[in-house]
Amino acid sequence: IVNATTIKDKKLEKEVCKPAVFGDEVGRYKVPSPKDYVIYLTREMKISQYPNIKTHLDPYKSKLETKREVKLGRQPWYSLHWARVRENFERSPKILVQAIRNLSLKRRIVAALDEHSLYADHTLNVLYNTHEKFHVNFVLGILNSSLTNFVFTKKYIDINIKGVYLTDIPVPSINFDNPTEKTQHDKIVSLVEKILASYKSLSMAQTPQEKERLERQIEVTDKAIDSLVYDLYGLNEKEIKIVEGK
């Protein structure tokens, strides 16, 4: 892991210095705020093609050579230990979900939108849309909804928010030829876009008054998304009260 200053001062080859994001840099609906970069070298790559990075890593070579996979001859000393599929990180947009959440936290699922091809570490789950018509905002809205959070809290007693748990969430199928169902989808997409924009504005708010206004707007939009999700799953008033603890 290196920062922008190191990359500049040591003239590290930028094509393999990828913006890295960690769990504590991801907030619910908030724009991820990465501060560092990962030197993304895999076993297929030749360190000789990146002389400045080699110079930077050389002081750590003896320690890196103690890695199990290196000792077994499965990878060169400079390679990432468990490199993931690069194309999955390069996807944009995609969803980032915190992979570790204390059981005492009210909000178990914290998901954000990544539109900058960030490289996530093991403290994040990376989700990308494989449905041709589903908008990524639709999935993000469902993940961050009170209903999904309630179900997740009751079903999984685990500080680890595992990928298999997330993929087990039943995202409703939408018949886009049905005007009613398409409208439900599009309304959630629109409201999620609104809350994303509000959080972005909140991060740049200059006055307490502006901050308070945006926070109220976010709260209202959040509740509107919840209401649409309840309707999407067909919850009645009694079931909604259970979810909301009333």
Side-chain angles (χ1 to χ4, degrees):
I1 300 294
V2 293
N3 56 34
T5 300
T6 300
I7 293 173
K8 180 181 178 182
D9 291 347
K10 295 191 174 184
K11 297 182 174 57
L12 302 184
E13 290 80 4
K14 292 183 179 180
E15 62 267 31
V16 291
C17 294
K18 303 297 183 178
V21 64
F22 305 90
D24 60 357
E25 295 171 336
V26 168
R28 184 170 174 268
Y29 286 125
K30 297 178 181 178
V31 178
S33 54
K35 303 177 184 66
D36 298 308
Y37 296 78
V38 58
I39 298 175
Y40 207 82
L41 293 173
T42 66
R43 68 185 71 188
E44 293 82 16
M45 302 168 78
K46 302 295 183 183
I47 191 70
S48 58
Q49 295 178 355
Y50 311 101
N52 293 338
I53 285 179
K54 183 178 184 301
T55 299
H56 173 74
L57 293 178
D58 270 341
Y60 312 101
K61 183 177 180 180
S62 59
K63 187 172 183 178
L64 292 171
E65 285 177 331
T66 64
K67 294 187 298 181
R68 184 190 64 182
E69 299 298 298
V70 177
K71 286 183 174 181
L72 293 173
R74 294 173 179 170
Q75 63 180 216
W77 64 271
Y78 54 81
S79 171
L80 287 169
H81 188 54
W82 292 111
R84 300 300 190 262
V85 179
R86 182 193 302 264
E87 289 73 18
N88 290 341
F89 292 130
E90 296 286 351
R91 290 173 184 265
S92 179
K94 62 179 180 286
I95 295 173
L96 302 175
V97 184
Q98 284 190 7
I100 303 172
R101 296 287 293 173
N102 194 294
L103 291 172
S104 64
L105 294 172
K106 182 179 179 181
R107 181 64 61 177
R108 297 282 285 124
I109 296 181
V110 173
L113 186 67
D114 167 31
E115 298 180 289
H116 301 286
S117 300
L118 301 176
Y119 280 57
D121 86 326
H122 69 284
T123 61
L124 287 166
N125 290 292
V126 176
L127 306 180
Y128 49 89
N129 194 4
T130 58
H131 194 290
E132 291 182 2
K133 293 186 178 180
F134 272 169
H135 194 288
V136 67
N137 285 3
F138 177 73
V139 179
L140 182 61
I142 289 175
L143 285 173
N144 276 331
S145 70
S146 293
L147 176 58
T148 299
N149 192 71
F150 174 82
V151 172
F152 202 93
T153 300
K154 298 298 182 182
K155 189 173 183 180
Y156 301 111
I157 307 174
D158 189 347
I159 65 168
N160 298 298
I161 312 298
K162 298 178 180 179
V164 290
Y165 299 164
L166 295 172
T167 55
D168 193 43
I169 294 172
V171 177
S173 59
I174 299 292
N175 179 2
F176 286 90
D177 293 325
N178 182 316
T180 300
E181 293 188 18
K182 185 179 185 302
T183 297
Q184 287 179 310
H185 170 275
D186 293 349
K187 281 184 177 179
I188 291 175
V189 170
S190 179
L191 286 172
V192 168
E193 186 63 39
K194 183 177 181 180
I195 203 170
L196 289 170
S198 296
Y199 268 114
K200 191 176 295 184
S201 297
L202 181 62
S203 68
M204 299 181 288
Q206 299 294 314
T207 65
Q209 294 79 10
E210 184 182 9
K211 182 179 179 181
E212 184 179 350
R213 178 184 64 81
L214 287 165
E215 287 175 341
R216 285 201 303 268
Q217 182 174 297
I218 287 169
E219 184 178 358
V220 170
T221 308
D222 211 1
K223 288 182 179 179
I225 294 171
D226 276 343
S227 180
L228 288 171
V229 172
Y230 293 146
D231 188 48
L232 191 66
Y233 284 88
L235 268 67
N236 58 39
E237 288 188 17
K238 182 179 179 180
E239 291 167 331
I240 292 172
K241 286 181 179 180
I242 292 173
V243 171
E244 297 184 346
K246 296 180 180 178

